[in-house]
Amino acid sequence: MTAGRSIEVHALHWRGVDIEITFERDWLSIAREHDLAASHLTVTAVQPKRAPLPVTETGYRSHFLHSEEIDQAGGPVGYVEAWLNHMAQSREWLDHEQTSRQLSLF
């Protein structure tokens, strides 16, 4: 019999976007049964709704990783903030920000 799921919900405000983060340390309780360390993290832009982020064009990202990565970053919020800041340095994101700032006549 598997134990109930434990999903943490966190909030982050990043560069004008309100983000909801969910984190399940032992995704679907498979670690105990299969000697895995599959954690599940989701990132959702809630305001503005589904705003693009450096880790997702759609405002939603599902990500599987080892829970030690989350712990090393100080928790789910620290991990997501560092991930966003790192990816915000990419040429694609810098171009997106520049385009977003410019007024369009069409």
Side-chain angles (χ1 to χ4, degrees):
M1 180 175 204
T2 59
R5 294 175 68 182
S6 177
I7 301 172
E8 301 173 21
V9 179
H10 302 274
L12 172 65
H13 185 80
W14 185 82
R15 296 189 185 183
V17 179
D18 292 327
I19 299 169
E20 179 181 89
I21 301 163
T22 66
F23 177 63
E24 186 173 8
R25 181 171 294 280
D26 181 11
W27 184 63
L28 301 178
S29 301
I30 63 172
R32 287 183 221 107
E33 297 174 20
H34 302 287
D35 196 29
L36 300 172
S39 294
H40 184 228
L41 181 80
T42 67
V43 178
T44 307
V46 293
Q47 188 60 37
K49 187 174 182 175
R50 294 294 177 110
L53 297 166
V55 297
T56 171
E57 295 177 5
T58 65
Y60 174 80
R61 177 77 183 257
S62 173
H63 186 62
F64 293 90
L65 68 165
H66 197 287
S67 60
E68 286 181 6
E69 293 178 65
I70 296 291
D71 296 339
Q72 290 170 354
V77 174
Y79 180 88
V80 170
E81 187 169 25
W83 188 20
L84 289 169
N85 288 334
H86 174 74
M87 295 303 291
Q89 298 172 32
S90 72
R91 173 56 42 209
E92 294 82 13
W93 186 254
L94 294 172
D95 290 346
H96 166 79
E97 286 186 320
Q98 183 66 27
T99 303
S100 297
R101 288 186 195 121
Q102 293 177 352
L103 295 177
S104 175
L105 298 175
F106 306 98

